[in-house]
Amino acid sequence: CSGERVVSWYTARSENSRAWSALMAPIPAPEVVVTDGGSGFAKAVRETWPRTRVQRCTFHAFSQVKRYTTTRPKLQAGRELYLIARDLMGIETLHRAELWVERYLDWCGFWADFLEDRTVVDGRRVYTHERLRRARSSLSSLVSAGTLFTYLDPALAKAGPLPSTNNMIEGGVNSQLRAVLRNHRGLTSVKRVKAVFWWRHAHSGDARTAREKLAAMPTDADIDFLFSVYSASPSREDGGPEWGDRAVWEDLHHRDPYPFWLD
């Protein structure tokens, strides 16, 4: 989504680079994209939007660290790292961003030997503080990639402040879709798909009437066809169509100038 509307959508079996690329390909490359770092996204943006700058959602970056340290770490190293990650969400200037990186690198250096400790478990030597190592790795990869503070780049923020999180889509779109399905329990799979499609059509900035939108939406038969053909054998070696082929959209829905995508 953009700040005003749902731009496009793509229904997939799972998050992977192919599904992300299929969603992104029809959309003109933006200057900046904010993402939670879903599976396959990094590869897709390199291939589909190679000149687009990436802003990793700082809340998700913090949440990933919190998943490993918990909110009440028992170790001093964990307590310090938790506070460092939490402070990500309050950075508003490049100077403060530089100080944050220095603080994080100092933490890495101070606790480096501690995180190398090993313990013997079932005859194997394993890292004693594996969870802390994973938390460190999650932040180090983002620092190395330079995707934590894209929103502070003056050249990109000329037109106005940029978001540092993807709360816009989480709260404005994803949570609304969950509410639609929660409030209409008991729908069949086909009708659940259609309910999601209808909500997104209604929030896409499309000026057509409800009758015109309904005429362009997939029918029950269309969706039944997709599930029966493309999910029956998701991995085929005979060269036949697989779940996710672009032909799904092109064959069934090329008439609609406001595209949605089916995988």
Side-chain angles (χ1 to χ4, degrees), residues 67-84:
R67 186 178 304 119
Y68 294 122
T69 64
T70 75
T71 57
R72 295 183 178 181
K74 296 181 179 179
L75 300 174
Q76 180 63 25
R79 287 192 287 269
E80 292 179 10
L81 185 60
Y82 173 81
L83 293 176
I84 290 172

Side-chain angles (χ1 to χ4, degrees), residues 141-205:
S141 61
L142 297 178
V143 170
S144 298
T147 58
L148 277 176
F149 304 112
T150 305
Y151 69 101
L152 296 174
D153 187 331
L156 296 172
K158 288 181 179 178
L162 298 172
S164 61
T165 71
N166 66 346
N167 291 345
M168 184 188 303
I169 196 167
E170 289 293 346
V173 178
N174 294 344
S175 64
Q176 304 303 316
L177 294 176
R178 296 187 189 100
V180 167
L181 299 180
R182 184 172 60 250
N183 293 334
H184 296 83
R185 296 180 183 275
L187 292 178
T188 64
S189 295
V190 168
K191 290 184 178 179
R192 287 168 65 87
V193 171
K194 294 185 75 173
V196 167
F197 276 31
W198 176 251
W199 189 94
R200 291 178 175 178
H201 264 299
H203 293 81
S204 63

